[in-house]
Each structure stands twice: as structure tokens, then as C-alpha cells.
Amino acid sequence: MTAARHTAHGSRRSGAWTGLVLNALDREKERPYWIVVALIPGIGPVSLARLVAAAGSLQAAWQAGLVDRAVAALGEDVRSPAADVLGQVRQRGVARFAADLVSHGRRLGIRAVTALDDDYPASLAHLDPRPAVLWVAGDPRAWQIRGVAVVGTRRPTGYGRAAAEEIGDELARAGVAVVSGLAVGIDGIAHEAALAAGGRSIAVLPSPIDRLYPPIHRDLAKRLVRGGGALVSELPPGRRTGKPDFARRNRIIAGLADAVVVVEAPDRSGALLTADAAIAYGRELFAVPGPMDAATSRGTNRLIADHAATLVTSPTALLNLIGLHRGEYPVSIRAMSEAEGLVLAKLLTRSGSLEELRDRTALPTSPLAAALTMLEARGLVTAYAGATFHPTLAARQSGWPKGSAEHGGGAPPSA
């Protein structure tokens, strides 16, 4: 029995990976088997680790027919596709099959990182279970710095968008890698905020990197890699995405991060699965509270009420809780007219529609619309769904209102 194997008693008492000494394995000989076996549907990280434990190495498990037995024991829904993959591998040979797959990935700018490799993320290397193989594009140094995950609903409110943007910005300026799932909504907003702040961001995908999901974020993914970040997936190039891949993605997000922040999550949200994984992995869990009648905040409010997550009162408070300090911010506000200053002051208090702002500012429709247009052009106001106006991150960080001496406009009345 090699050092890579642990006792049957120990296996029942702990997870499948606990007790495996991976550095005792011959990496050069083992690596192709890890890449190939991880491809087989139904053979996940737990099954793979058990095969290593049973035979002393994955190569030995393959040669002893243990992989074939594991496939034969699978349920009917996955046994057939697993047998198809197994047949393809046996036809070409493990070494050739793995080498061709790695070469194909390399041509696409994607590389395989196994749990045997030195550049495997240290934050995942102590988890049980852990991904056996990751497919990565970008800079591996992105996961060598501290990471904090920011996750949430795909349909955020203006409040949720603002919170995710501020938190992502603050974390990036504090030198943290912002980890998320590249999904539409809170995930994408957090990634964008980190990039805009000049920071690194890691996107964990439910799809192969060459079949990126969601397609609408292909440009964001490219910019994320150019900015020193990384794309990570358990799926090799060319593989089809299935429903279980989304759940596994959430597990990796939590594993890569030192802490997880949930921003707006309704009931049955995927972000709550990430929160569950964070708790299981012993990660710090934080949640942004929302209005008690907001469906998008039911999940986050429940996490706080159940004492599963620590309440986040502000991005600065979050940094203090995880032992970080706020970064520097450029001055991003310019001279405004009196009408623009008045409108911005009201929006910084509460977002609103054109009709609401007309009542709150007492401005006629035409001057109000002109002020909003100028504020949007300055990057200080944005409109969601073309109906409700919100202050941007630059506006919220500007310190407005402070009076005409600093900003060139008349000091707006109190909101």
C-alpha cells in the first residue's frame, strides 16, 4: 500500500480526499489518468479520490479495471454516456487521449491544472472533496492573492446593483481578487467593478471556457483575463454543460474565496448554494440586508436572521470585518449646474423616476430632463430599464454634496 492510500476505517470516518498524500504519486505518470478519468460522466471528485485510495494511484486503478467497475455501477442515466467516453479513451489510449485534449486546450489559451500540480489553487488544496482537474485561462497569480466572492441574483434591483458595484470596487482597491460566477446580474456587476478599479477578478464558469456561458459576457471574460484575472472551469474544452455543473461551479466559487458576500438572493437562488458551500468549508459568510418585503432579499435576510451570515452595513465595514483597509479613490466629480447638483443630491438620498424627481426637486420637466442628461453624460447617473434613475459609483464616492467651493455648483438643498 503506497503513501497515497488511507485505511478503510479512515475513509468512513472522513472524506474521500482526507489522508491522500498526493505528492507521493508519480505526477508525470498519473497526470494523464487524472485528466481522462475526470472527464467520465458520473465519476466526480469523490469517486476519483476513492479510486486512488483503493489502488494506491489512479493509474493502478485504471489498470486493475476499477474504473470500469465504477462506470458499471453508475445509474442508468449516466452509465451509457460514461461508457461511451470510456470506450473512446480505450480506443486511443490514455496518454494519447489526454495529450490531444491538453494540446487542443493550449491552442485555445486554456490549460489543465490538476490537484497534483504546483499551481493548483492553495485555497482548494485542503478541501474535501476538491476538483480533481481545473481548466484555466488567464493568470494563476490571480488566485495566489486573497480572494473574496461576491454573488447574488441574476435580476438585481437598483439597490442590489449599487451594493455589488461598491463592494466589488472596494475589495479590488484593497488588493483582493473578486471571485464570482460571471452570471448576468450581481456576478457580472462585481466583476465589472473590480476591473474598473484596476483589480483582479476570477470567474468560475458552469461551462467550458471555449463555450462560455452566458455568451453575453464573452467580452467581459476577455477583459477579465487581460486585466490579470482568470477563468476557471471543471469542464474541458468542447464539453456540453449540464445542470449539475452550475452547482459544482458554486462550490468552487466558495472554495477559492476566503470569504463570501451574498448581495440580494431570493429563495431558491444559486447564490444560496454558494453560501451553503461557504459554511461547509468554514469560510466567512456575509450578507447584504434588504427591505423586508423585497423578494430579491428574502434569502439574504434569512441568512442574517438565522445567524448564518454576518450583516454587511457598508463596504467599508465589510473591509474592517475581514481585516482589510480601504484603497484610494480618484476625484470623479466635476463642476455642475445648480439644477444638476440639486438632482444628484436627491438621487444620492433615494433613486427615483422622472415623475418622482420632478416632485422632489420642484423642477419643471424640461430642465429636469436636461439635468439628468448631463449627469448621465458625466457618468454620475444611470437609468435602469430606462425608467428609474440611480447615482453611479463615481457619484457615491465623490463626497457630494459639499458646497460650491469644492464642486463649482451651488450647494443643493438638503434631501
Side-chain angles (χ1 to χ4, degrees):
M1 183 180 296
T2 73
R5 190 172 177 182
H6 60 122
T7 67
H9 178 67
S11 177
R12 287 193 298 269
R13 201 176 55 220
S14 56
W17 288 78
T18 303
L20 294 182
V21 184
L22 299 184
N23 59 12
L25 299 171
D26 186 325
R27 182 185 306 175
E28 185 176 348
K29 292 180 179 179
E30 275 287 284
R31 200 170 185 273
Y33 290 90
W34 285 60
I35 291 170
V36 165
V37 174
L39 291 174
I40 301 173
I43 306 296
V46 173
S47 297
L48 187 147
R50 286 174 178 163
L51 288 168
V52 175
S57 73
L58 202 53
Q59 181 183 21
W62 180 276
Q63 293 171 345
L66 298 186
V67 176
D68 297 80
R69 293 181 204 170
V71 168
L74 294 173
E76 292 184 10
D77 55 335
V78 293
R79 188 188 308 140
S80 179
D84 287 344
V85 172
L86 200 59
Q88 294 172 31
V89 175
R90 291 208 175 279
Q91 184 176 16
R92 293 164 60 188
V94 171
R96 176 66 181 275
F97 195 100
D100 288 349
L101 187 58
V102 169
S103 296
H104 176 58
R106 190 179 297 118
R107 289 192 294 271
L108 298 171
I110 305 166
R111 66 187 184 283
V113 178
T114 75
L116 304 170
D117 298 332
D118 292 335
D119 56 350
Y120 187 81
S123 56
L124 298 179
H126 303 291
L127 299 183
D128 192 351
R130 72 197 70 154
V133 180
L134 296 171
W135 295 86
V136 178
D139 193 341
R141 289 175 296 182
W143 59 63
Q144 293 171 4
I145 63 175
R146 190 171 186 182
V148 174
V150 181
V151 296
T153 179
R154 288 173 171 79
R155 298 178 180 84
T157 64
Y159 164 77
R161 295 178 66 94
E165 189 177 36
E166 288 192 38
I167 289 170
D169 178 271
E170 293 268 12
L171 290 170
R173 292 182 188 276
V176 170
V178 175
V179 184
S180 200
L182 204 72
V184 173
I186 296 297
D187 292 23
I189 294 165
H191 287 306
E192 289 279 13
L195 291 179
R200 295 179 188 261
S201 192
I202 301 171
V204 184
L205 309 178
S207 64
I209 294 173
D210 64 327
R211 295 184 173 185
L212 189 139
Y213 181 88
I216 195 173
H217 277 166
R218 284 175 182 154
D219 178 67
L220 173 57
K222 291 177 182 177
R223 289 186 287 113
L224 186 151
V225 170
R226 287 199 301 266
L231 306 176
V232 178
S233 175
E234 276 192 279
L235 300 182
R239 178 79 172 269
R240 291 181 179 273
T241 305
K243 189 174 181 179
D245 298 317
F246 287 83
R248 286 197 291 268
R249 181 266 304 271
N250 296 332
R251 169 175 51 83
I252 297 174
I253 291 173
L256 280 173
D258 291 343
V260 173
V261 185
V262 185
V263 182
E264 284 197 325
D267 292 327
R268 302 175 65 83
S269 169
L272 297 181
L273 297 178
T274 307
D276 288 342
I279 294 169
Y281 291 155
R283 302 304 196 236
E284 293 183 278
L285 180 62
F286 300 90
V288 176
M292 62 182 182
D293 60 345
T296 51
S297 291
R298 284 177 184 164
T300 47
N301 288 347
R302 188 171 65 251
L303 287 173
I304 295 167
D306 292 345
H307 303 288
T310 301
L311 182 147
V312 174
T313 56
S314 71
T316 303
L318 172 65
L319 293 184
N320 291 334
L321 287 167
I322 58 180
L324 295 171
H325 300 288
R326 191 179 189 192
E328 296 297 322
Y329 294 88
V331 175
S332 53
I333 199 164
R334 296 173 288 175
M336 295 185 292
S337 68
E338 186 174 348
E340 291 167 32
L342 173 61
V343 173
L344 183 58
K346 297 297 184 183
L347 286 175
L348 285 168
T349 301
R350 187 176 73 255
S351 301
S353 64
L354 184 67
E355 291 74 16
E356 290 170 334
L357 288 170
R358 186 174 56 201
D359 293 339
R360 292 166 60 195
T361 62
L363 289 172
T365 301
S366 182
L368 173 60
L372 286 168
T373 298
M374 288 303 299
L375 288 170
E376 286 191 85
R378 294 178 190 274
L380 297 172
V381 167
T382 188
Y384 298 149
T388 305
F389 295 90
H390 304 263
T392 64
L393 181 63
R396 294 192 297 274
Q397 291 175 346
S398 67
W400 180 267
K402 287 186 178 178
S404 59
E406 295 186 32
H407 299 290
S414 61

